Amino acid sequence: MTQTKTKKLLIYFTFVSPAVLLFALIIMLPFVRAIIFSFQDWDGISTDIKWVGWSNYTTIFHDSAYMKSFWFTLKYVAVSTLLVNVIGFALAIVLNMKLKTKNVLRTVYFMPHVIGTLIIGFIWQFIISQVFPQIAEWTGWHIFEVNWLSYPSYAFWALILVNVWYSAGYFMVIYIAALQGISTELLEAAQIDGVNRWQRMWHIILPLVRNAITICLFLAITSGFKVFDLNLALTKGGPFGSTESLALHIYQDAFANNNYTLASTKAIIFFIVLGAITLIQVFAMKRKEVEM
Amino acid sequence: MKDRYNSGKLLLELFMIALGLLFLVPLYLVFINAFKRYDEILTSASSLPELFQLSNFVTVWQEMKFPTVFANSLIITVLSVLGILLFSSAAAYQLVRRPGKMSNIIFLGILSAMVIPFQTMMIPLLMVAKDFKMINNLPGIITMYWGFGIPLALFLYHGFIKGVPVELEEAATMDGSSVFGVYFRILLPLLTPITVTIAILHSLWIWNDFLLPYIVLNSKAVQTIPLASYIYFGEYMNQWHLALAAMTLAVIPIVVFFLLMQRYIIQGITAGAVKG
């Protein structure tokens, strides 16, 4: 009896341990060390690692570049989350109708999303710096005359524009899947009852796709907070550090300035803020979901 | 619901087609300008090239060592994804079929890692990687992708296996099949749909990933396509004709993959999104 129990345990560990070991080595160990680093002061080279308690945590609140990147990231997340969801949802509504080209169009709108964000950043650097001036020449529109990447407010919107181009189709796909889950009988019944288009949208469709909205907001918020490649390739955080995302700032601080311990503290704060915001968002929205 | 094709729909359709074309314009511009001479791009970035010449591509192909970086990207992506599939399906199998406190702790522990941003563990990871000689070599970065890929894959497999009836496995055990036999011959074939989803989601991510290769792959022999593009682009900052040829080369494999696997990619995105 005990032998079979031992054998079962052995089988259990054979199957489970590779995943657990990899997880421990690649994720858990570095994560725990990051927490420990955040209470230390170390230049990355010397053998003398000092314990400094909470002082890194108080220092970073006076780090104006960090606070600036925090503020930029919050703005970026707020605006891009709103836009990619509204536009993705609008595309989904239209491409869920019986249009003749809907399958081709779904492919077209989704296509940018398979290209890596680093390449996307370079593609748009080309479009903005070389093609926009030509558009300005033909149309005479002032908005295309200025180089978007050399003025802070324009650079912000350049990032938003590129992110919308990159992500709208992705959110569209999730929303289409949700819309297809709504029974047509229900919508027909509503129509017979004389429900108009807007009532149908507000009182039937939106409540029924709330689950998808929760997921899409979560995805948009987390990916927005983590923006790095696009930021690096398109603006490098410039001009004047005005578009430096948190992820880029932490990277620069760690590897360009060799501030391992301070950068770890910033990364821990990043983790806590992101965790708190997504928890609140998912929790608040889950409570109001409609089960069908 | 009456969903007839009428003039309103036609107008909407035309608008969506126009918007779709506008969506493709950036890719079109990159493509056509990749065939131009440098000065031609500066004077007329929007027109078709006077002559579709391949010289930019030839230069980039050689200087970027495209065959090498393409092979690196392919090896890293394929081996990383295979490992992720194997380790997470094996773990999910036992975690689902042997429920209990231990299984719960392992499952929830690994799952909770999904909320940790990469930047948080990036700095110490580099030190762990140095200790284990995982810097600047393909086995090293592949092992890291195994680690980072496991949480989502485990989660998706876990949910899927719960829906697989246990009777088939029990019947196979009665017939004398070992646990490994059950896993490889009964369970894995049943898991094919979710395996395809996980394989595609992780392939897209790993193929396009930049930051991890950027910090752990320095030597030219092991670079991936995104990393090599970044370095190449940095060297030829304003040489748009070469940069655009490099971007075109970088984009073609993944766009072709997408067009071939479209249906599965869309399904994968939809299934993977449920992790929220």
Side-chain angles (χ1 to χ4, degrees), chain A residues 12 15 27 30 34 100-101 107 109-110 114 116 118 122 126 130 134 138 165 170 177 188 200 215 247 251 260 267, chain B residues 1 13 16 19-20 23 42-46 94 103 119-120 123-124 147 208 214 226 233 240 254 262 269-270 273:
Chain A
Y12 183 83
F15 277 83
I27 300 179
K100 294 188 194 329
T101 53
T107 304
Y109 290 122
F110 183 78
V114 297
L118 185 89
F122 289 145
F126 167 69
Q130 303 300 315
Q134 291 210 354
W138 300 331
W165 180 75
Y170 177 77
E188 274 166 20
R200 194 176 73 191
I215 293 161
Y251 175 85
Y260 293 107
Chain B
M1 190 174 51
E13 179 136 27
M16 292 300 277
L19 191 66
F23 240 71
L42 295 191
T43 50
S44 55
S46 54
Q94 286 294 310
S103 292
Q119 281 76 17
T120 304
I123 302 160
N208 286 325
Y214 189 38
F233 194 84
W240 282 112
I254 196 73
Q262 230 196 106
I269 300 289
T270 322

Side-chain angles (χ1 to χ4, degrees), chain B residues 129-192:
Chain B
K130 271 179 193 148
D131 292 343
F132 287 88
K133 303 263 177 292
M134 287 157 74
I135 303 281
N136 252 331
N137 59 61
L138 299 188
I141 195 169
I142 290 167
T143 311
M144 290 184 216
Y145 280 127
W146 287 346
F148 288 122
I150 281 172
L152 175 61
L154 180 75
F155 174 69
L156 293 172
Y157 270 128
H158 196 273
F160 197 89
I161 295 173
K162 267 198 291 191
V164 176
V166 73
E167 283 77 18
L168 263 177
E169 293 164 39
E170 283 169 352
T173 313
M174 298 280 196
D175 291 344
S177 187
S178 71
V179 177
F180 295 95
V182 169
Y183 167 69
F184 282 110
R185 283 199 293 270
I186 310 288
L187 190 66
L188 278 189
L190 288 173
L191 295 182
T192 308

Side-chain angles (χ1 to χ4, degrees), chain B residues 81-101:
Chain B
V81 170
L82 285 178
I84 290 168
L85 294 174
L86 181 70
F87 299 135
S88 49
S89 66
Y93 166 48
Q94 286 294 310
L95 292 180
V96 172
R97 295 296 184 232
R98 304 241 157 276
K101 211 180 223 169

Side-chain angles (χ1 to χ4, degrees), chain B residues 54-109:
Chain B
L54 290 171
S55 64
N56 297 337
F57 288 98
V58 175
T59 312
V60 169
W61 185 276
Q62 288 164 349
E63 287 181 356
M64 220 171 97
K65 300 214 173 4
F66 195 77
T68 311
V69 294
F70 180 84
N72 289 338
S73 275
L74 199 63
I75 291 167
I76 291 174
T77 305
V78 169
L79 294 184
S80 298
V81 170
L82 285 178
I84 290 168
L85 294 174
L86 181 70
F87 299 135
S88 49
S89 66
Y93 166 48
Q94 286 294 310
L95 292 180
V96 172
R97 295 296 184 232
R98 304 241 157 276
K101 211 180 223 169
M102 170 108 80
S103 292
N104 268 339
I105 292 172
I106 293 174
F107 180 61
L108 291 175

